[in-house]
Amino acid sequence: MFEEQNAQWGLVHAFVLDGLGGAAPISRLALESLDLQPGQSLWLHWDRSHPQAQRWLRERSGLAEFTCDLLLEESTRPRLLSLPGDELLLFLRGINLNPGSEPEDMVAVRIFADAQRVISLRLRPLHATDALIEQWGRGSGPKTGSEVLLYLAEHLTDKVDTLVSDFAERVDEQEEHLDEDERFRPDHDLMLQVRRRAAALRRFLAPQRDLYAQLGRNRLPWFVEDDSGYWNELNNRLTRYLEELELTRERVGLVLESESRRQSERMGKTMYLLGITTGFFLPMSFITGLLGMNVAGIPGAGTSYGFYVVCVLIGGMVLFQWWLFRRLSWL
């Protein structure tokens, strides 16, 4: 019920965390008189493109104009910005799992957080929020704002693993066929697509890994005690994914290079055989062409054995060429 009412204001989700692993939804109108108790936290998830959401952020959120401008700017890469008062701006990217979208066309979530508030904005649907609400429904969700940040980052990172593994499996399949069948030709379009997607994914994951490292080193006062260890683990996981992506790009290059080398070898063998064949038949063609001229004075033209003499001559030339080519190791 609350979600339908809130959607008119551009508010996708609104929950008050009880600090025990559960959360209660609230309406947009209830925000005006909300008084958080000790141990409680507020999570608001807005549709960044909605005019009412933009208006609330600038007029009623209490955030500085500079902060609002950053949260609403059109395009941005993963970034981390510390604000006065132990406040935090965190921009993250995740795999696009929406129907009809390319996974590497990543979705963005922009987050403002302090000790008791987490305000996130998205343009396209984010599956991580649905899983988050399910955990609160079971009473096992994040207890504080810092855990909400950590959960969203961890969920976004989990989806990267599936995509990176899919890239590796596609390259594995091409390499396997390439090794087993000399006549197999790799799918160039598929390999180029994998390399393009890996490069696009790496573009956003590299700065995001650095953000996790910073969050692990620079622990804010309102972070949970063991948050640093989890941020460091996310940093390590993204480092491994980036290494896998780089390895995948190199393997794609090796597959395409191997196919190019094979094509060059096949072309070289074909041209070599054509050259040998041409060299083998060129002298015979010269003799038959010379003797085939319809002019007077052709030797043996008036004899009955002239044809056989020419055949013997050509046969001798064939034997001589065969011996010469074998001696020169051309055959």
Side-chain angles (χ1 to χ4, degrees):
M1 179 180 66
F2 284 147
E3 291 190 359
E4 294 179 357
Q5 296 175 359
N6 293 341
Q8 301 175 1
W9 301 85
L11 182 57
V12 184
H13 302 297
F15 283 85
V16 174
L17 286 64
D18 59 15
L20 300 175
I26 61 172
S27 68
R28 160 67 179 82
L29 297 178
L31 292 178
E32 305 299 331
S33 58
L34 180 64
D35 184 19
L36 294 174
Q37 301 301 314
Q40 290 185 334
S41 303
L42 176 66
W43 175 56
L44 303 176
H45 189 55
W46 297 87
D47 180 356
R48 182 170 59 87
S49 63
H50 201 287
Q52 292 294 337
Q54 298 176 13
R55 181 178 178 182
W56 180 89
L57 191 68
R58 293 189 179 277
E59 297 179 1
R60 297 189 176 275
S61 65
L63 301 182
E65 182 179 358
F66 170 73
T67 303
C68 295
D69 289 340
L70 291 180
L71 289 172
L72 296 175
E73 65 181 350
E74 286 301 320
S75 61
T76 183
R77 300 186 65 189
R79 63 185 299 185
L80 171 66
L81 183 62
S82 297
L83 301 174
D86 295 326
E87 296 175 343
L88 183 70
L89 274 182
L90 182 63
F91 297 171
L92 300 177
R93 290 286 184 127
I95 302 301
N96 192 349
L97 301 178
N98 296 306
S101 301
E102 296 292 343
E104 69 276 6
D105 182 21
M106 306 182 76
V107 295
V109 56
R110 308 173 184 195
I111 303 171
F112 165 85
D114 58 19
Q116 283 193 299
R117 288 191 305 171
V118 175
I119 301 174
S120 58
L121 296 92
R122 57 83 166 165
L123 187 60
R124 289 173 288 188
L126 192 66
H127 289 248
T129 59
D130 298 330
L132 179 60
I133 295 172
E134 289 179 5
Q135 286 202 1
W136 278 329
R138 297 193 299 267
S140 59
K143 301 175 182 178
T144 65
S146 68
E147 290 186 357
V148 172
L149 294 182
L150 185 58
Y151 177 86
L152 291 174
E154 186 175 10
H155 190 88
L156 295 175
T157 304
D158 287 341
K159 301 306 178 183
V160 175
D161 188 12
T162 304
L163 187 58
V164 171
S165 299
D166 179 63
F167 289 163
E169 289 175 2
R170 294 187 181 188
V171 180
D172 287 341
E173 182 180 354
Q174 296 293 310
E175 286 181 333
E176 182 179 349
H177 289 303
L178 196 63
D179 293 337
E180 293 177 352
D181 188 357
E182 287 290 334
R183 294 173 296 178
F184 174 75
R185 300 189 63 181
D187 189 337
H188 283 238
D189 291 339
L190 175 62
M191 291 293 93
L192 292 175
Q193 183 186 61
V194 168
R195 185 162 65 179
R196 175 179 59 80
R197 290 184 170 183
L201 193 61
R202 192 179 187 280
R203 174 190 175 195
F204 292 105
L205 293 186
Q208 195 151 302
R209 173 197 56 185
D210 298 335
L211 301 188
Y212 294 162
Q214 293 180 46
L215 289 169
R217 291 192 304 265
N218 305 323
R219 180 176 175 274
L220 292 175
W222 46 274
F223 274 21
V224 176
E225 183 66 27
D226 58 351
D227 277 358
S228 296
Y230 286 106
W231 287 116
N232 288 328
E233 177 60 23
L234 289 177
N235 171 48
N236 293 332
R237 288 174 60 186
L238 272 189
T239 299
R240 179 167 61 85
Y241 297 153
L242 288 169
E243 291 174 350
E244 288 289 335
L245 288 173
E246 188 63 29
L247 179 60
T248 297
R249 293 177 61 192
E250 292 181 2
R251 291 172 60 196
V252 168
L254 290 175
V255 169
L256 297 178
E257 181 182 341
S258 177
E259 172 61 14
S260 178
R261 177 179 56 80
R262 285 187 177 184
Q263 287 184 345
S264 297
E265 290 178 354
R266 287 195 291 264
M267 182 63 70
K269 289 179 180 179
T270 302
M271 295 304 295
Y272 179 77
L273 291 176
L274 289 176
I276 292 296
T277 303
T278 301
F280 201 80
F281 286 98
L282 184 60
M284 293 181 282
S285 299
F286 173 75
I287 292 176
T288 55
L290 181 64
L291 297 180
M293 292 187 299
N294 190 19
V295 295
I298 299 298
T303 63
S304 59
Y305 55 84
F307 172 75
Y308 301 103
V309 171
V310 172
C311 290
V312 170
L313 179 62
I314 292 177
M317 183 172 294
V318 168
L319 293 176
F320 173 75
Q321 285 184 289
W322 177 265
W323 171 83
L324 179 62
F325 285 6
R326 290 298 298 270
R327 186 174 181 84
L328 296 176
S329 300
W330 291 359
L331 290 176

